[in-house]
Amino acid sequence: MRPRRLDMVFYNVAFGDATLVRTDNLTFLIDTGTAGSADSIVRSLRSAQIDRLDAVIITNWDTGKTGGLISIVDRFVIGEIWAPSAIPDTPAYADLKTRLAEADIPLKTRNARARLNYSDLRFEILNPPAVPYSTSNDVNSMVIRLYYGRFCVFLPSDIQNEQEPMLLGTLGTDTCEVYKLPYHGRGRPGASLLVDRLKPSEAVISTGINDAGLPSPTTLERLKIADIRTWRTDVTGDIYLFANLNRTYSIGPNSTAPDYESGK
């Protein structure tokens, strides 16, 4: 039995996204990085002695989030796949559907208002609605607020700036210690309404070499002005987060967990 705490890893997967979520008895992988990072993720999971994933969560169908999915499906025991309901009609998805059927892995769509409780771990799905806005992957991204006890991590995938006002009414008054920036830290004309509401202490940006100039210098400057510590996979490599139930946490490049007391 693993210690009673939340372990997360924001993997360095170039210009893509992949996040491991692990508690004492549960393991989830949120997105699977780029195709070029697939072998690296497999090695990292094996090194962590993971052979089973309770769920693989696809927050949208962009290739930077699904590039390693087939490799993961082929090499690990998977309980189920979660995905937004707007599933693309593409050859890539047809191939995945065949693989999932062969492996008897259910594909479950997750939409706004879904609440999934696993003892101390809770997933709140805030987007997309049951009826998709459009065919856009980004607009239909699965937005997740993750709780471990009272500790909170906000994972907005690649939602658009214009969607933030619609999400504000679903957030209540809770704050979140950690906020993963959408779309590799893209720029925006104004401050983020979600960041202002959630008041994170830590920001995580998953990014790599790209032609878009991301993360945006403006975004980085706004985070600095707001006194939000920023962690970037292109600078730090893998980013490790450890938290316990009373909201004590550590984050950074150190893969060794603090010596939290069990049950704290």
Side-chain angles (χ1 to χ4, degrees):
M1 178 69 73
R2 291 170 49 79
R4 193 177 181 206
R5 66 168 187 259
L6 171 70
D7 295 1
M8 294 183 67
V9 185
F10 301 91
Y11 288 119
N12 179 19
V13 288
F15 199 57
D17 294 276
T19 304
L20 180 68
V21 177
R22 201 175 187 191
T23 64
D24 53 346
N25 60 350
L26 295 164
T27 306
F28 298 84
L29 183 65
I30 303 177
D31 296 321
T32 63
T34 62
S37 65
D39 288 344
S40 173
I41 291 180
V42 169
R43 287 194 299 270
S44 294
L45 295 175
R46 293 295 193 206
S47 178
Q49 298 183 319
I50 293 170
D51 55 18
R52 184 185 190 281
L53 297 162
D54 292 279
V56 174
I57 303 167
I58 299 302
T59 63
N60 79 32
W61 293 94
D62 181 81
T63 55
K65 293 177 168 58
T66 62
L69 184 53
I70 295 297
S71 292
I72 298 296
V73 168
D74 286 347
R75 290 170 172 82
F76 295 87
V77 177
I78 298 172
E80 56 193 27
I81 305 282
W82 302 358
S85 55
I87 297 174
D89 184 16
T90 63
Y93 171 67
D95 182 35
L96 171 64
K97 189 175 181 181
T98 300
R99 297 289 188 94
L100 296 182
E102 290 172 350
D104 195 25
I105 302 172
L107 175 63
K108 298 185 177 181
T109 56
R110 302 296 189 194
N111 300 313
R113 299 183 182 176
R115 302 292 184 266
L116 301 118
N117 296 296
Y118 301 88
S119 184
D120 299 316
L121 186 66
R122 182 167 87 254
F123 293 85
E124 293 185 355
I125 312 301
L126 305 176
N127 191 71
V131 179
Y133 297 115
S134 71
T135 58
S136 164
N137 275 335
D138 292 349
V139 169
N140 290 312
S141 291
M142 188 188 304
V143 175
I144 300 170
R145 179 160 55 177
L146 183 154
Y147 286 97
Y148 181 68
R150 295 181 295 128
F151 181 80
C152 177
V153 180
F154 198 78
L155 304 165
S157 188
D158 286 343
I159 59 161
Q160 300 295 293
N161 299 337
E162 295 78 12
Q163 291 176 262
E164 290 199 355
M166 293 182 285
L167 291 176
L168 283 180
T170 69
L171 296 179
T173 59
D174 284 0
T175 59
C176 275
E177 285 81 0
V178 180
Y179 186 98
K180 186 174 185 292
L181 267 69
Y183 201 79
H184 319 290
R186 69 181 158 211
R188 52 187 310 125
S192 167
L193 298 175
L194 295 178
V195 170
D196 286 349
R197 171 65 64 84
L198 294 169
K199 297 179 173 55
S201 299
E202 319 285 344
V204 174
I205 301 175
S206 179
T207 191
I209 296 172
N210 64 90
D211 297 327
L214 298 176
S216 160
T218 302
T219 296
L220 295 175
E221 184 62 22
R222 285 198 175 112
L223 293 169
K224 182 178 179 181
I225 291 171
D227 197 26
I228 300 171
R229 283 200 304 179
T230 302
W231 305 92
R232 295 169 48 176
T233 58
D234 63 329
V235 174
T236 306
D238 294 346
I239 299 164
Y240 297 85
L241 170 65
F242 305 100
N244 64 8
L245 292 171
N246 68 3
R247 301 179 86 168
T248 301
Y249 71 93
S250 69
I251 184 171
N254 189 351
S255 62
T256 302
D259 187 18
Y260 293 137
E261 291 182 24
S262 177
K264 292 290 187 178

